[in-house]
Amino acid sequence: MEITTSRLRLRPARPEDLDTIHAVLSHREAMRWWSTPPHDDIEQSRAWLDAMIANTAAGAADFVVEHEGRVIGKAGCWKAPDVGYILHPEVWGRGFASEALSAVIDHVFVATDLGTLNADVDPNNAASIRLLERLGFVGTGEAKATWHIGGQWMDSLYYSLERSRWQTRQEG
């Protein structure tokens, strides 16, 4: 399954994506808000990519994101109904996260019977919070010390997008 937007191609991950995925997962700034520290070596990224490929083969709506033929990150539901994304910082600020996540949301709500999509975001990640809210997600709660990353406890804000809210936005 592939999704094409005006500028992006979202497709299942493949083993040959390893180098470009590792460039994202080993980048300190890209991983600043992720649930693990930056990958120290390519074998960590290989295991991560292998898991993504296996999850997608098992039906997960999880995609690598390509721009102009180059993988720039990933977006999707690694485990439904949880949605997430990560892009290489060199493409930040160009609307790619919004474009990719919008396409994933539309795909999931059209292709499945899920009633809600959920997101877990660091309270300090203002850009992701703004993006989720622009896409119709609403805050549902918060929790302290939910992720232990690189020796430090991180907090979480929880967001959800109900199918009915998505449908209303589609009609408006």
Side-chain angles (χ1 to χ4, degrees), residues 39-60:
H39 291 187
D40 293 328
D41 64 58
I42 202 161
E43 291 310 313
Q44 286 177 282
S45 296
R46 184 185 316 278
W48 186 93
L49 182 62
D50 289 347
M52 182 180 180
I53 291 168
N55 286 344
T56 303

Side-chain angles (χ1 to χ4, degrees), residues 8-154:
L8 304 174
R9 177 178 171 221
L10 285 72
R11 61 164 177 79
R14 302 185 294 243
E16 57 266 27
D17 297 325
L18 179 59
D19 289 336
T20 51
I21 285 294
H22 181 65
V24 175
L25 298 176
S26 63
H27 196 285
R28 184 161 307 286
E29 189 65 18
M31 297 294 282
R32 181 177 181 191
W33 311 114
W34 202 246
S35 58
T36 63
H39 291 187
D40 293 328
D41 64 58
I42 202 161
E43 291 310 313
Q44 286 177 282
S45 296
R46 184 185 316 278
W48 186 93
L49 182 62
D50 289 347
M52 182 180 180
I53 291 168
N55 286 344
T56 303
D62 208 8
F63 305 93
V64 295
V65 178
E66 283 185 2
H67 174 65
E68 296 178 345
R70 188 175 132 251
V71 173
I72 60 170
K74 67 85 66 187
C77 293
W78 63 278
K79 180 182 75 173
D82 299 327
V83 67
Y85 60 93
I86 186 169
L87 299 178
H88 195 284
E90 72 184 23
V91 300
W92 289 1
R94 295 167 59 184
F96 293 142
S98 179
E99 191 172 328
L101 195 54
S102 292
V104 166
I105 292 165
D106 291 348
H107 167 74
V108 169
F109 280 138
V110 167
T112 74
D113 61 355
L114 279 176
T116 305
L117 287 174
N118 299 318
D120 178 340
V121 61
D122 187 295
N124 296 309
N125 189 345
S128 282
I129 291 168
R130 284 191 307 272
L131 172 59
L132 291 169
E133 290 174 349
R134 263 195 329 272
L135 294 177
F137 282 76
V138 295
T140 59
E142 59 185 86
K144 299 286 185 196
T146 54
W147 297 96
H148 193 253
I149 303 167
Q152 182 177 346
W153 282 103
M154 309 302 282

